Amino acid sequence: MTKTEAVRTAVLGDRDRIFQQLSEIVSYHSVHGDPALAEQAAGAASWVSKALTEAGLEVEAIDTADGSTALIGTRKAAEGQPTVLLYCHHDVVPAGDPAAWTSDPCTLTERNGRWYGRGAADCKGNLVMHLAALRAVAAAGGSDVGITVVVEGSEEKGGEGLDSLIEQRPELFAADAIMIADTGNAAVGTPTLTTSLRGGAQLTVTVRTLDGAVHSGLFGGAAPDAVFALVRTLDSLRDVEGRTVIEGVDTSARWEGEPYPVEDFRRDAGVLDGVRLTGTSNDAPADFLWARPAVTVTGLTSTPVAEAVNAVPPVAQAQLNLRVPATMSAAETAEALAEHLRAHVPWGAHIEVEIKDVNDGFATDVQAPALSLLRSCLAEAYGSDRSASLGSGGSIPLTTKLQQAHPEAEIALFGVEEPQCLIHSADESVDPTEIERVAIAEALFLLRYGK
C-alpha cells in the first residue's frame, strides 16, 4: 500500500473517532470572556491539551493576556527538514437562544448527512480535522517535518491574547509553512484555498439634534428628528443601485479570481424571492465581496418600538462594520468613511464618529512552493483536477501578525467550512466528508513537504 493509499484508508476508516472527538469538544460552550461560561472555556482548553498530547506532541498551555488559554503542541523536525504550523481555535460565538436550534447546540447531532452543533465547523471541525490528519500521517509511516499545532482560545473575541503572545514569544510560531484552518471551500466538494482576507474596522456614529425629546404634537415637523438625520446620513453611503459610496475611495474595483455565481450567492446568502442583489448586471457578487469596500449597518439605536412615545428623538446611533479588500488600508478607509459621514449629516446636526478595532487585510501568493503543494494535495483529496482560489469576507488579524513575525513563512488559508455551515448562526453544521477530505489533503501535504 502506498503512503497516499494509507492516508486515504486511515481517514475514511476514522469517521467514528472523528465524530466522537467532535462530539466531545462541541459539548463545551466555550465562549471566551463570559464569566458564566469560564468553566466551559477552561474545559475546552483542557480537552485540547489532552488531545494534542495523545497525538504525540509536547504540549504547553499558555495563559494569554486577554484571559484565554493557548495550547501549543510541538514535535521537532528531523535534521534539515522544515517545520509546519497548524492553526485553529477552540472558542466559539455564543449559541444564542436554544429554541432557535433544531437540536441542542452543544450536542453534536447528525441529520441528513450533516453534523449540527455550535462550533461544528467554526472552528472545532477544523480542530478534529487536524487531529485526523496527524493520525493519518502516523498510519502512513510518519513524516520528518517539524509540526507545531496552535489552538487559541479567544479568536471570536478578537484574538488579542494570541497576538500579544506572538509579539512576546515569536519563536513559538517559527515555521516554514503556516496552515491556518479557519476558512473553507466555495461549496461542498470544491477544494478551495483562500487567497485574500478583508480587513476592516468598527465605527460608532452618533447624531444629536435636540437637548432632549420633545412632544411630536407640539414640535414635530419643525424640530429636527435625530433618527431621520442619521438615516439621511447613512443613505449617502449607497448609490441608487445599492453600491457602496465613500468619497475619496475607489469602490468600483473588479475581482480577478474565481467568480461567485449569482445563483450560488443568492442561495448561500438566503436572499428572498423577488429581492434584487445590489448593483447592476455589470457588478458581480465577487466584486462586492473581495475587491471593494463595504459598509454594513450592524446596529441602530433610538427608541425601541415597544417603548415608543409621541416624541421627537434627540439622538440616534448606529454601529457600522467596514470591510476592505487586502489591497486597501483599513485605517485610511475608515478615516475616509468618517469624513464622508461628517460631510453628509443634514441640517447641521451634531455628529460624532468613533473608529475602533481596525485591522488590515491579508493576501497570499498561491504560486509559492508550499501553497502550490497544498493546492495539489487538496485537488487530489477531492478527486479534482484543480483547486479553486477565493477571497473571504472575514478577517483573521492573526495572519498579519504571523506574517510580520515570520515574513519568510508561507501562509495558507483553508478548512472545513463552506456556505451551508451557517457559522455563527443557529443550526451551525459541518459536512463530515469535508472534514475527511481536508484531513486527507493536510496529511498528504505533511508527508510530501520538505522531501
Side-chain angles (χ1 to χ4, degrees):
M1 181 184 294
T2 66
K3 286 183 178 290
T4 299
E5 292 169 338
V7 164
R8 190 174 295 276
T9 299
V11 173
L12 296 182
D14 204 22
R15 180 173 290 199
D16 287 346
R17 188 168 184 185
I18 292 171
F19 183 86
Q20 181 61 34
Q21 287 191 316
L22 189 55
S23 297
E24 291 172 2
I25 190 62
V26 163
S27 72
Y28 295 101
H29 193 195
S30 48
V31 177
H32 170 66
D34 185 340
L37 296 173
E39 290 187 4
Q40 295 289 308
S46 178
W47 187 95
V48 172
S49 179
K50 180 181 178 182
L52 294 180
T53 300
E54 291 175 348
L57 304 173
E58 293 185 15
V59 180
E60 183 176 3
I62 303 174
D63 293 331
T64 54
D66 61 359
S68 64
T69 301
L71 289 308
I72 301 181
T74 57
R75 189 183 71 203
K76 292 183 179 180
E79 184 69 26
Q81 290 298 305
T83 294
V84 178
L85 186 152
L86 309 177
Y87 166 87
C88 61
H89 59 89
H90 64 76
D91 65 306
V92 296
V93 299
D97 182 5
W101 290 71
T102 303
S103 54
D104 176 39
C106 292
T107 302
L108 193 67
T109 304
E110 183 170 4
R111 292 196 306 276
N112 301 318
R114 296 184 69 90
W115 297 347
Y116 290 80
R118 173 56 84 229
D122 182 22
C123 187
K124 294 173 178 181
N126 285 302
L127 169 59
V128 300
M129 179 276 293
H130 284 321
L131 297 172
L134 292 175
R135 289 193 296 272
V137 168
S143 170
D144 290 333
V145 301
I147 294 176
T148 300
V149 181
V150 176
V151 188
E152 72 166 307
S154 62
E155 191 274 345
E156 299 292 3
K157 294 295 180 68
E160 294 178 4
L162 194 65
D163 289 351
S164 297
L165 186 60
I166 293 171
E167 294 175 358
Q168 295 163 7
R169 299 182 62 185
E171 73 282 357
L172 292 174
F173 305 89
D176 299 278
I178 298 174
M179 308 282 104
I180 296 180
D182 195 12
T183 59
N185 292 337
V188 172
T190 302
T192 306
L193 273 184
T194 298
T195 61
S196 69
L197 295 170
R198 277 169 156 175
Q202 303 288 344
L203 292 86
T204 303
V205 186
T206 305
V207 173
R208 292 184 171 85
T209 55
L210 303 168
D211 287 334
V214 294
H215 195 287
S216 60
L218 298 176
F219 299 100
D225 183 319
V227 175
F228 272 112
L230 176 60
V231 169
R232 183 71 60 85
T233 306
L234 298 178
D235 186 54
S236 70
L237 295 171
R238 298 286 181 129
D239 68 12
V240 68
E241 299 294 345
R243 293 171 291 207
T244 298
V245 176
I246 304 173
E247 289 183 355
V249 176
D250 179 12
T251 59
S252 62
R254 301 289 185 182
W255 173 249
E256 300 298 332
E258 301 285 336
Y260 197 156
V262 169
E263 290 309 311
D264 291 350
F265 177 82
R266 292 186 66 92
R267 180 196 65 238
D268 296 342
V271 180
L272 299 178
D273 289 344
V275 178
R276 290 196 302 111
L277 300 185
T278 53
T280 68
S281 58
N282 293 322
D283 301 294
D287 297 335
F288 288 111
L289 296 177
W290 306 317
R292 304 175 183 177
V295 181
T296 302
V297 181
T298 56
L300 190 66
T301 301
S302 180
T303 306
V305 172
E307 302 171 17
V309 294
N310 293 328
V312 179
V315 61
Q317 195 171 56
Q319 183 73 20
L320 306 184
N321 176 241
L322 170 68
R323 301 281 178 165
V324 300
T327 53
M328 282 188 178
S329 163
E332 291 177 3
T333 309
E335 288 291 348
L337 174 56
E339 281 303 311
H340 177 108
L341 294 166
R342 296 184 188 107
H344 286 80
V345 67
W347 318 320
H350 296 187
I351 184 170
E352 300 170 9
V353 183
E354 178 188 6
I355 301 172
K356 56 186 179 181
D357 297 339
V358 179
N359 63 277
D360 281 324
F362 171 82
T364 189
D365 178 10
V366 295
Q367 302 304 320
L371 272 69
S372 294
L373 174 59
L374 180 60
R375 284 167 64 90
S376 67
C377 291
L378 282 165
E380 183 176 344
Y382 279 79
S384 175
D385 58 357
R386 62 185 292 273
S387 295
S389 298
L390 293 179
S392 174
S395 60
I396 305 178
L398 168 74
T399 54
T400 54
K401 286 289 184 181
L402 288 170
Q403 194 173 53
Q404 291 165 3
H406 300 288
E408 299 304 315
E410 294 183 47
I411 300 178
L413 299 157
F414 67 113
V416 305
E417 302 161 27
E418 38 78 24
Q420 294 182 59
C421 290
L422 298 178
I423 64 172
H424 294 194
S425 300
D427 280 352
E428 177 182 352
S429 68
V430 68
D431 186 317
T433 64
E434 293 291 278
I435 295 177
E436 291 169 341
R437 286 181 284 197
V438 176
I440 290 170
E442 183 169 280
L444 293 176
F445 176 88
L446 293 173
L447 288 166
R448 295 170 182 174
Y449 185 57
K451 296 293 186 184

